[in-house]
Amino acid sequence: MPKIRNLEDLRKVKESAKDLTAARSGGRTHIIVGMGTCGIAAGAREVMTAILAELEKRGIKDVAVETTGCIGMCQFEPLVDVIRPGEPRITYGNVSPEDVPRIVAEHLINGNVVADKVIGRTD
């Protein structure tokens, strides 16, 4: 990331972050990426980029990709929640960009939870 030297640099960072999160709004299925400082330090930005790229590659348009702050499970960052309509919220932990295609293919598309990455489930 380039060094921020003035207000205009800061505005550019804000606009690029806005584009990243606003690229995917709406849809009945939600993917939520933990983007607190702990998540970002653990690689959440790369995971978010991989999610957006995977959805674009597969032509999946009806999924909202959102961010959240720290939820107190820093040791499991990066965290990714997948919420499909009518199903429990599944929280994946220690997600890497390499895990994203599998989570999208198995859980998002086929409805099969990727059990080895699950750290939480909310009914």
Side-chain angles (χ1 to χ4, degrees):
M1 173 179 273
K3 195 172 193 175
I4 298 172
R5 298 176 196 263
N6 55 42
L7 185 57
E8 187 58 33
D9 289 347
L10 184 60
R11 285 187 178 132
K12 288 177 185 173
V13 169
K14 178 183 174 188
E15 283 304 310
S16 67
K18 190 171 150 184
D19 289 346
L20 184 66
T21 59
R24 292 284 184 169
S25 58
R28 295 182 55 210
T29 300
H30 295 259
I31 296 176
I32 304 169
V33 181
M35 294 287 278
T37 53
C38 51
I40 291 170
R45 259 187 212 162
E46 292 79 7
V47 169
M48 171 70 109
T49 301
I51 290 168
L52 293 172
E54 188 67 20
L55 294 176
E56 183 69 28
K57 184 176 111 185
R58 293 176 178 267
I60 299 171
K61 303 286 185 202
D62 61 341
V63 175
V65 180
E66 304 164 354
T67 63
T68 189
C70 179
I71 61 169
M73 297 175 32
C74 308
Q75 70 274 23
F76 297 114
E77 294 283 358
L79 295 169
V80 174
D81 289 346
V82 175
I83 308 168
R84 290 173 33 111
E87 296 181 8
R89 177 184 192 142
I90 302 296
T91 301
Y92 294 104
N94 298 314
V95 177
S96 70
E98 292 77 24
D99 296 322
V100 169
R102 186 164 64 117
I103 291 171
V104 169
E106 291 185 28
H107 190 173
L108 208 68
I109 295 172
N110 295 321
N112 301 316
V113 174
V114 180
D116 62 302
K117 300 299 290 182
V118 173
I119 62 161
R121 175 186 175 122
T122 305
D123 292 318

